[in-house]
């Protein structure tokens, strides 16, 4: 089992503690530009535990939810209720759909897991293949600025870990260039000012001391055991000093200037 597979297997049971379909209304708004939603076939590429797939299924005709992790798909399937979601175990650069089969593709906080610019380019080419002409692609990602200033728990991290996570992300201007090279036409960039990836769990000041809470964010997997222990000890120390809530508020102050996530909306040219 490779490192990525180990990570997904380990975190799958805990992932939904701190994750939800944040920004769903933005994704639906992008898809709605292509016609009536209830007639559309949508691909959720890298669906994880299926939060977006199931939320989308209430509004669109059909959802094909794709992920390479058996553990994540098991969690996603457990939520199924005959809601029009079809699950596939596959990589996002090898989607099990025919050419031009989809009206829209959404990929949420996934591209930084793929392993570099070449892998991202391959995924974008695959999205272009399965989309109909004019079909919408919505990429939910984080800008480099958002990673550095939009997440209060990241102020607890060693700089090397944060830098490594930033390096994994294609920054928004670079992503737009890659989209154009893959044959996509730019439509919009949307930054929801108040949305947070982890929902209410984000404001749990003691959260980063809990392994289950950390399981919703892959950045924590970049820390060594010793570095993780140091974070837990720092939180415990701040709590003993009754300073933990203030630390969280102060560390979170930069988020209002940049948000946490960016939706890049393009269409197959």
């Amino acid at each position: 089992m490779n490192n990525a597979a180990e990570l997904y297997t380990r975190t799958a049971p805990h992932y939904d503690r701190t994750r939800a379909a944040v920004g769903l209304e933005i994704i639906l708004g992008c898809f709605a530009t292509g016609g009536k939603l209830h007639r559309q076939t949508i691909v959720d590429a890298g669906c994880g535990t299926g939060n977006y797939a199931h939320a989308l299924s209430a509004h669109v005709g059909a959802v094909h939810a794709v992920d390479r992790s058996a553990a994540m798909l098991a969690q996603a399937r457990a939520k199924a209720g005959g809601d029009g979601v079809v699950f596939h175990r596959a990589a996002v650069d090898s989607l099990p759909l025919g050419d031009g089969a989809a009206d829209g593709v959404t990929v949420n906080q996934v591209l930084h897991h793929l392993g570099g610019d070449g892998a991202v380019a391959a995924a974008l080419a695959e999205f272009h293949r399965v989309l109909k002409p004019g079909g919408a692609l919505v990429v939910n990602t984080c800008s480099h600025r958002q990673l550095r200033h939009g997440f209060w728990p990241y102020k607890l991290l060693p700089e090397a870990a944060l830098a490594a996570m930033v390096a994994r992300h294609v920054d928004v201007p670079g992503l737009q260039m890659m989209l154009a090279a893959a044959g996509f036409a730019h439509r919009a960039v949307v930054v929801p000012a108040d949305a947070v990836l982890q929902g209410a769990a984000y404001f749990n000041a003691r959260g980063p001391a809990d392994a289950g809470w950390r399981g919703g964010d892959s950045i924590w997997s970049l820390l060594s055991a010793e570095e993780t222990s140091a974070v837990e000890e720092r939180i415990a120390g701040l709590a003993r000093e009754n300073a933990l809530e203030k630390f969280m508020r102060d560390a979170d102050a930069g988020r209002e200037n940049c948000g946490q996530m960016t939706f890049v909306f393009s269409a197959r040219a």
Side-chain angles (χ1 to χ4, degrees), residues 41-45 62-66 86-88 90-91 94-105 126 129-131:
T41 296
I42 301 300
V43 177
D44 182 2
V63 178
H64 289 269
V66 181
V86 180
F87 294 98
H88 308 270
S94 184
L95 297 174
L97 287 88
D99 296 356
D103 298 283
V105 173
E126 182 69 347
R129 181 187 69 78
V130 301
L131 279 169

Side-chain angles (χ1 to χ4, degrees), residues 31 83 91 100-101 106 128 138 141 151 180 185 212 239-240 244 246 248 263:
F31 289 155
D83 57 4
T106 182
H128 188 276
V138 185
T141 187
F151 294 81
R240 286 193 299 270
L244 182 56
K246 182 179 185 303
M248 180 179 71
F263 290 84

Side-chain angles (χ1 to χ4, degrees), residues 155-157 229-239 244 247:
K155 303 298 183 182
L156 296 164
L157 298 175
S229 294
V231 169
E232 294 172 344
E233 291 169 6
R234 186 176 182 191
I235 290 171
L238 287 166
L244 182 56
F247 174 87

Side-chain angles (χ1 to χ4, degrees), residues 130-201:
V130 301
L131 279 169
K132 298 175 180 177
L137 171 62
V138 185
V139 178
N140 170 3
T141 187
C142 296
S143 71
H144 289 182
R145 184 183 180 205
Q146 287 168 332
L147 289 167
R148 287 203 166 276
H149 303 291
F151 294 81
W152 80 262
Y154 294 2
K155 303 298 183 182
L156 296 164
L157 298 175
E159 168 58 25
L162 181 54
M165 181 56 76
V166 170
R168 290 185 177 193
H169 284 70
V170 180
D171 206 6
V172 173
L175 177 60
Q176 290 176 290
M177 292 177 64
M178 294 179 73
L179 285 162
F184 287 94
H186 174 71
R187 291 290 181 264
V189 172
V190 181
V191 178
D194 297 326
V196 290
L197 283 170
Q198 294 173 288

